[in-house]
Amino acid sequence: MAAALRALMLSHSPPLDALVVPSEDYHQSEYVSARDKRREFVSGFTGSAGLALITANEALLWTDGRYFLQAEQQLTNEWKLMRSGEDPAVDVWMADNLPTDAAIGIDPWCISVDTAHKWESVFAKKQQKLIQTTTNLVDEVWTSRPPPEANPVVVHPIKFSGCSVEDKLKQLREELLQEKARAIVLSALDEASSCSLAILGVAWLFNVRGSDVSYSPVVHAFAIVTLTAAFFYVDKRKVSSEVGSYMEKNGIELRDYSEVSSDAVLLASDQLMSAKKAKEMVSDATETGSDATNNSAEEKSNDLIWVDPGTCCFALYSKLNQDKVFLQSSPLALAKSLKNACNISSSIVHRSSYFRLLELVVVKPHLELENPVEIQGLKNAHIRDGAAVVQYLIWLDKQMQEIYGASGYFIGSEVNDKVQLRTTKLTEVSVSDKLEEFRASKEHFRGLSFPTISSVGPNGAIIHYNPEPETCAELDPNQMYLCDSGAQYLDGTTDITRTVHFGKPTSHEKACYTAVLKGHIGLGNARFPSGTTGHVLDVLARVPLWKYGLDYRHGTGHGIGSYLNVHEGPHQISFRPPARHVPLQSSMTVTDEPGYYEDGNFGIRLENVLLVKEADTKFNFGDKGYLSFEHITWAPYQTKLIDTSLLVPEEVEWLNSYHTKCREILAPHLNTPEMKWLEKATEPISA
């Protein structure tokens, strides 16, 4: 494949010294559709994060710590693995290793404005240049590329969204006026909702959902919102007459997906207008016999176009007058993360810098939720999901005992060797399919929120392991089993991880599990002043592991969508620099998921979704206001994996209290035998 691309690179005008093949699609999405998995097609690496670089003599792939082991297994000898955070970043490597005046090819639709600007700055030192290819070279050699699908757009009812399109557009336009902007270009799929998860923006703003990307209920679409009009760029085959009427009712004009390119040019020259306004202008001109003016005085005084440099592709940005572009994070990103903070203007606290963001959060820490529909929906979804996970653990416990002679979930003893003549077996895929069955029986279920990470023993050390039916491992009662899974419900998105052992865990495994649990509890119990970022809090989950010289290579927490992406920003809890940018705020959701991974042996991760809320503290130093977390995930921790001698009384008290709530909250969703199992699984422990 690299050879075919090199031939195209050589024949390109100008000839290319390197070709960048990123993971992202036209919307800078983390998860992409099958036809947009260009990096996977070229390299064979299937992880969700990575970048491939083809040069005249080398093929390199960059990925982060979640995927080091997976990439080592999937890349052929033709490829060199570059470990992000350990090896030079891709732009630094290109600047140092490619010749002076090198031409570096990119598809500008698949590169963000931020990335392009950063690379151009680095390359300028050696007169190296980014070359925007007119076509994607990978598409030219990908003869079996899947065709586009016409999956229907559906309206997400206000009983689940909690905020009308009319209100969202009204508040967005107020924000445009405040920033002296006359329009905003939205490319993130969940905005149109964004962090690097661009598609979600459009879906959030217009209260629509789709199925264009596996596991994410989003629609491949762009949006442009001006002070007087809103445009939705989508494959019109996906839009039913009912959805078309819904759009028209909300003042949103449907345009074909490909028209966003030409409309960006019109927007730059201030010629973009709705069909209705165009007709009115023609009518006015006919009646008066003179040219009708295009813009009101208000529109003329606001001449900037708002572009989110992290989610807008370089192709669209290049069509605008860059002197008139306001480069700033999308005002929808933070609004979307604050569940049912319908007032976009009040939730968009960043103005010119992140320092301003911190200042305003400290000054005004409290967010009043007028209509917390999304919060209640997320809580309800997690209760049903927790019941499904408990039912799965009960089923798996029974199967492991019957098929493999395991001592089971509660007893830590050796496997019964007498039970060896079995006609059936459990695999990582077959058991994850069973978990999906339990979830599918729950109200409002619409699918999984990501491919289930069902991993046994050494596979658990592959942080984002993706089992395949042909090659996955069989369950083993003598090894740890890590299951990271989640679902999409109409009222919320879920993500939960539990690690269990159905045989006799070693003292080392118990010590490691307990260290992870202590970090999980420590972060979840944190109280912190308003204005605190996830970068500050990340250490709380790692300290118990550091005590033993252990750690993990991934971040500790990410936001969760409301029937949107399972990974949502703009906030996060992580050691990585981007976690410094956005403070945690009341009504945000964030995961708490520390882990430990021992290559070749096992992996441990524990994950709950937390809701950020105002804390009731005795004092209020600096009059800042303080925040804390509320767990909304409900499933037991396996107590036989806990070395209770390593817990302090406060941790024991928290665990017993959490388990009591599990019983109370899940009881209405479980039958009598299931409740008996859960009661045993949540019996109080003592240090």
Side-chain angles (χ1 to χ4, degrees):
M1 190 53 56
L5 285 172
R6 289 187 180 109
L8 290 178
M9 291 161 57
L10 189 62
S11 63
H12 189 274
S13 179
L16 302 176
D17 297 280
L19 178 67
V20 176
V21 185
S23 301
E24 291 78 14
D25 59 10
Y26 287 10
H27 306 271
Q28 307 307 300
S29 307
E30 177 184 19
Y31 296 110
V32 299
S33 65
R35 65 183 272 102
D36 291 320
K37 293 182 178 180
R38 298 179 178 91
R39 187 226 62 224
E40 178 180 325
F41 169 73
V42 167
S43 67
F45 169 64
T46 62
S48 66
L51 179 147
L53 180 70
I54 311 292
T55 71
N57 303 307
E58 295 185 88
L60 307 96
L61 180 122
W62 276 260
T63 192
D64 63 51
R66 295 172 296 170
Y67 295 109
F68 289 170
L69 280 178
Q70 181 177 336
E72 287 173 359
Q73 295 175 2
Q74 293 183 330
L75 295 176
T76 65
N77 293 334
E78 179 184 17
W79 288 85
K80 180 180 179 181
L81 173 60
M82 305 295 286
R83 295 170 171 82
S84 297
E86 299 179 11
D87 293 318
V90 62
D91 53 339
V92 174
W93 188 95
M94 288 190 284
D96 291 344
N97 291 275
L98 296 178
T100 300
D101 298 325
I104 299 155
I106 60 166
D107 179 347
W109 289 92
C110 298
I111 297 290
S112 72
V113 178
D114 260 349
T115 298
H117 283 173
K118 179 187 175 187
W119 289 1
E120 286 178 331
S121 176
V122 173
F123 298 158
K125 300 171 185 176
K126 290 178 62 177
Q127 294 78 51
Q128 297 163 326
K129 294 182 179 179
L130 278 184
I131 303 298
Q132 300 185 36
T133 60
T134 54
T135 61
N136 192 297
L137 300 191
V138 174
D139 294 350
E140 295 188 31
V141 300
W142 192 359
T143 56
S144 60
R145 185 185 180 208
E149 298 180 0
N151 300 312
V153 177
V154 296
V155 175
H156 192 48
I158 196 167
K159 69 177 181 178
F160 297 122
S161 69
C163 191
S164 70
V165 178
E166 179 183 6
D167 286 339
K168 290 179 181 180
L169 286 172
K170 179 175 181 288
Q171 297 297 335
L172 175 57
R173 288 179 172 127
E174 289 178 1
E175 187 66 15
L176 292 178
L177 287 170
Q178 185 166 337
E179 300 295 354
K180 304 300 183 185
R182 59 182 172 85
I184 184 169
V185 178
L186 299 168
S187 57
L189 299 182
D190 62 343
E191 283 168 354
S193 346
S194 136
C195 68
S196 63
L197 315 176
I199 280 183
L200 300 184
V202 177
W204 181 85
L205 178 62
F206 292 158
N207 282 348
V208 294
R209 301 293 188 267
S211 56
D212 287 346
V213 177
S214 297
Y215 310 105
S216 299
V218 295
V219 182
H220 278 135
F222 293 97
I224 294 177
V225 177
T226 72
L227 295 174
T228 58
F231 304 91
F232 182 42
Y233 299 90
V234 66
D235 183 340
K236 290 185 177 179
R237 296 177 301 166
K238 302 176 181 180
V239 181
S240 65
S241 58
E242 291 80 7
V243 173
S245 298
Y246 165 84
M247 292 291 176
E248 183 177 1
K249 176 184 176 182
N250 285 285
I252 303 165
E253 184 169 320
L254 287 172
R255 297 208 171 177
D256 194 74
Y257 184 79
S258 61
E259 288 185 76
V260 70
S261 182
S262 56
D263 276 7
V265 175
L266 292 174
L267 181 64
S269 60
D270 207 6
Q271 298 298 309
L272 180 63
M273 66 187 74
S274 66
K276 180 180 179 181
K277 184 173 181 180
K279 289 179 181 179
E280 290 173 351
M281 288 180 61
V282 170
S283 176
D284 290 346
T286 301
E287 291 178 6
T288 63
S290 61
D291 291 336
T293 181
N294 280 351
N295 304 301
S296 66
E298 185 178 67
E299 289 173 305
K300 287 180 179 179
S301 66
N302 295 272
D303 61 350
L304 298 177
I305 298 172
W306 193 325
V307 167
D308 184 334
T311 63
C312 182
C313 62
F314 196 49
L316 286 179
Y317 170 78
S318 299
K319 298 179 185 299
L320 304 174
N321 180 350
Q322 294 171 21
D323 292 336
K324 296 293 184 179
V325 172
F326 176 54
L327 286 174
Q328 179 63 279
S329 296
S330 166
L332 302 184
L334 187 58
K336 176 168 54 68
S337 71
L338 299 172
K339 302 311 176 191
N340 274 139
C342 220
N343 190 325
I344 292 174
S345 295
S346 68
S347 64
I348 302 304
V349 292
H350 53 286
R351 286 292 175 263
S352 58
S353 72
Y354 288 119
F355 295 106
R356 177 63 172 153
L357 171 64
L358 288 167
E359 175 191 338
L360 288 182
V361 170
V362 170
V363 171
K364 189 178 180 181
H366 303 304
L367 172 69
E368 231 175 82
L369 294 181
E370 298 177 356
N371 184 24
V373 170
E374 288 179 323
I375 290 177
Q376 191 57 54
L378 280 163
K379 289 182 176 181
N380 292 341
H382 279 81
I383 292 171
R384 296 193 303 275
D385 198 67
V389 170
V390 168
Q391 290 167 335
Y392 170 64
L393 290 174
I394 295 170
W395 172 84
L396 189 55
D397 182 20
K398 181 179 179 182
Q399 295 296 307
M400 292 299 292
Q401 292 182 60
E402 292 180 352
I403 297 175
Y404 296 96
S407 56
Y409 187 90
F410 302 108
I411 303 172
S413 61
E414 302 293 343
V415 174
N416 182 358
D417 293 330
K418 295 181 180 179
V419 186
Q420 292 297 326
L421 297 175
R422 54 181 182 271
T423 57
T424 60
K425 68 176 184 178
L426 302 176
T427 69
E428 292 166 327
V429 170
S430 68
V431 296
S432 67
D433 288 345
K434 188 65 178 181
L435 173 55
E436 184 174 359
E437 284 183 29
F438 284 115
R439 284 190 162 113
S441 69
K442 306 306 178 188
E443 185 182 20
H444 300 320
F445 176 81
R446 287 298 180 271
L448 301 182
S449 55
F450 59 96
T452 298
I453 302 171
S454 174
S455 51
V456 176
N459 290 338
I462 303 173
I463 296 171
H464 271 203
Y465 174 69
N466 185 18
E468 299 290 344
E470 301 80 13
T471 58
C472 68
E474 183 177 1
L475 264 65
D476 185 339
N478 295 310
Q479 293 186 318
M480 303 276 269
Y481 172 62
L482 185 158
C483 185
D484 185 346
S485 64
Q488 295 286 5
Y489 301 93
L490 287 174
D491 50 354
T493 303
T494 68
D495 188 0
I496 176 176
T497 308
R498 289 295 184 267
T499 304
V500 296
H501 198 302
F502 292 100
K504 184 177 182 180
T506 66
S507 58
H508 175 61
E509 289 171 333
K510 293 175 67 173
C512 292
Y513 180 95
T514 306
V516 172
L517 176 63
K518 286 170 71 71
H520 178 75
I521 295 172
L523 176 59
N525 284 346
R527 291 189 176 191
F528 48 95
S530 296
T532 301
T533 67
H535 191 269
V536 173
L537 298 178
D538 181 77
V539 67
L540 298 178
R542 298 180 191 271
V543 167
L545 288 159
W546 289 353
K547 182 178 179 180
Y548 299 100
L550 305 178
D551 205 346
Y552 51 97
R553 289 191 175 101
H554 57 77
T556 305
H558 57 81
I560 290 281
S562 182
Y563 187 39
L564 279 172
N565 273 0
V566 70
H567 291 167
E568 182 177 272
H571 60 291
Q572 56 181 296
I573 299 176
S574 177
F575 60 93
R576 296 189 175 94
R580 300 171 181 161
H581 296 163
V582 180
L584 298 182
Q585 298 182 48
S586 179
S587 81
M588 282 180 170
T589 57
V590 67
T591 59
D592 174 3
E593 50 179 311
Y596 171 64
Y597 311 91
E598 196 164 285
D599 294 355
N601 291 318
F602 61 83
I604 299 167
R605 184 161 63 252
L606 297 172
E607 177 185 18
N608 279 7
V609 173
L610 311 176
L611 176 68
V612 185
K613 65 176 186 177
E614 295 176 11
D616 182 18
T617 55
K618 183 176 181 179
F619 302 105
N620 185 17
F621 180 79
D623 199 30
K624 295 178 178 180
Y626 282 72
L627 300 172
S628 62
F629 294 118
E630 174 187 346
H631 287 257
I632 63 172
T633 298
W634 304 107
Y637 304 93
Q638 190 177 29
T639 55
K640 88 171 186 183
L641 268 173
I642 301 173
D643 183 342
T644 56
S645 68
L646 300 177
L647 298 180
V648 298
E650 292 80 6
E651 292 166 339
V652 172
E653 181 183 357
W654 180 87
L655 185 65
N656 289 336
S657 174
Y658 175 84
H659 277 164
T660 297
K661 291 177 182 177
C662 272
R663 293 194 300 272
E664 295 171 351
I665 289 171
L666 297 182
H669 302 269
L670 301 174
N671 61 32
T672 300
E674 291 167 347
M675 269 307 298
K676 287 184 178 179
W677 186 96
L678 181 59
E679 286 168 359
K680 188 173 183 180
T682 57
E683 288 177 350
I685 65 168
S686 57

